Amino acid sequence: MSEPVKYADRVYRSGSALVAGVLLLGLVGWLGGDALLRGDGRTPVTAVAAMLFAAPLITAFTLRPAVFAGDERLRVRNPFRTIVAPWGSVEEIRARYSCELLAGGRKYQMWSIPVSLRARNRANRFNERAESGQPPRGGLLGLGAGAQAAEGPKTAPADAAVAELRELAERHGEKESAQGPVTVRWSYAILVPLAAGAVALAVLWLTA
């Protein structure tokens, strides 16, 4: 008997956060590298400590957050923790002012799926106009309104992602392979250098 086909995990993350993270890391590297090469006195040491603190902090809040949805589990990678929830343990996935996972009797934020109230209100206004029979608002002089009307109801990105995750939870929640407890792991690869940089900066400040 052939084994069931396993598909790659769906990945949810913020594109704008990735771009911001790359730009900020580049800025930190440029400024820190310049201070390290050209600075005198305590400047190079301070630059190293600052980069050691800033780089993991930026990475934690921009590049690291992601949600991975597979056939057996949901893996939420937040700035400092990774939460692994088998689909059978998922109680609810919702998007209010932030996207939240309720599993194993606890609540976890999903940092990589930010909620935009502006996008949600814009989608609601579009759908209300469509339901009332009013023509949708297009671009300049109404251009593009016909194409928008043909697209059907609109959904804010965060709400669409949550709807997909709910559908996956319902589809896979009863599987035997999707049962088990929720596990939480701290990201020491982020926390250790971050703490080292913070301690180094504190020592430099106290001994200045």
Side-chain angles (χ1 to χ4, degrees), residues 70-89:
D71 292 338
E72 300 176 353
R73 63 183 185 174
L74 179 67
R75 182 160 60 97
V76 180
R77 198 170 68 189
N78 282 341
F80 303 118
R81 299 189 301 175
T82 298
I83 300 97
V84 178
W87 288 117
S89 69

Side-chain angles (χ1 to χ4, degrees), residues 17-18 20-29 50-51 53-65 79-80 190 194:
L18 292 175
V22 171
L23 293 176
L24 287 173
L25 287 175
L27 180 62
V28 168
M51 287 191 292
F53 176 78
L57 189 64
I58 293 171
T59 301
F61 285 97
T62 58
L63 305 184
R64 176 177 161 78
F80 303 118
I190 294 290
L194 179 64

Side-chain angles (χ1 to χ4, degrees), residues 123-208:
N124 290 338
R125 287 195 300 269
F126 179 93
N127 295 333
E128 289 172 0
R129 290 177 63 85
E131 291 175 1
S132 64
Q134 300 180 49
R137 295 176 180 175
L140 183 63
L141 301 178
L143 297 177
Q148 291 181 20
E151 293 176 1
K154 291 187 177 296
T155 306
D159 295 330
V162 165
E164 290 180 3
L165 293 174
R166 285 175 177 168
E167 193 258 334
L168 289 172
E170 293 176 0
R171 185 192 308 171
H172 302 298
E174 300 299 325
K175 288 183 178 179
E176 183 178 352
S177 59
Q179 308 305 312
V182 178
T183 59
V184 179
R185 299 192 307 272
W186 290 97
S187 175
Y188 293 105
I190 294 290
L191 293 171
V192 170
L194 179 64
V199 170
L201 287 174
V203 170
L204 288 170
W205 181 73
L206 291 173
T207 58

Side-chain angles (χ1 to χ4, degrees), residues 3-106:
E3 295 183 357
V5 179
K6 290 187 177 181
Y7 297 95
D9 290 355
R10 299 189 190 185
V11 183
Y12 301 84
R13 62 197 316 169
S14 171
S16 59
L18 292 175
V19 172
V22 171
L23 293 176
L24 287 173
L25 287 175
L27 180 62
V28 168
W30 175 53
L31 294 176
D34 183 71
L36 184 62
L37 295 175
R38 301 185 182 184
D40 53 10
R42 292 160 56 98
T43 301
V45 178
T46 304
V48 171
M51 287 191 292
L52 189 61
F53 176 78
L57 189 64
I58 293 171
T59 301
F61 285 97
T62 58
L63 305 184
R64 176 177 161 78
V67 170
F68 304 88
D71 292 338
E72 300 176 353
R73 63 183 185 174
L74 179 67
R75 182 160 60 97
V76 180
R77 198 170 68 189
N78 282 341
F80 303 118
R81 299 189 301 175
T82 298
I83 300 97
V84 178
W87 288 117
S89 69
V90 174
E91 299 158 10
E92 185 180 358
I93 300 173
R94 63 193 184 193
R96 294 178 177 176
Y97 294 105
S98 63
C99 288
E100 299 172 343
L101 164 68
L102 279 70
R106 298 190 61 183

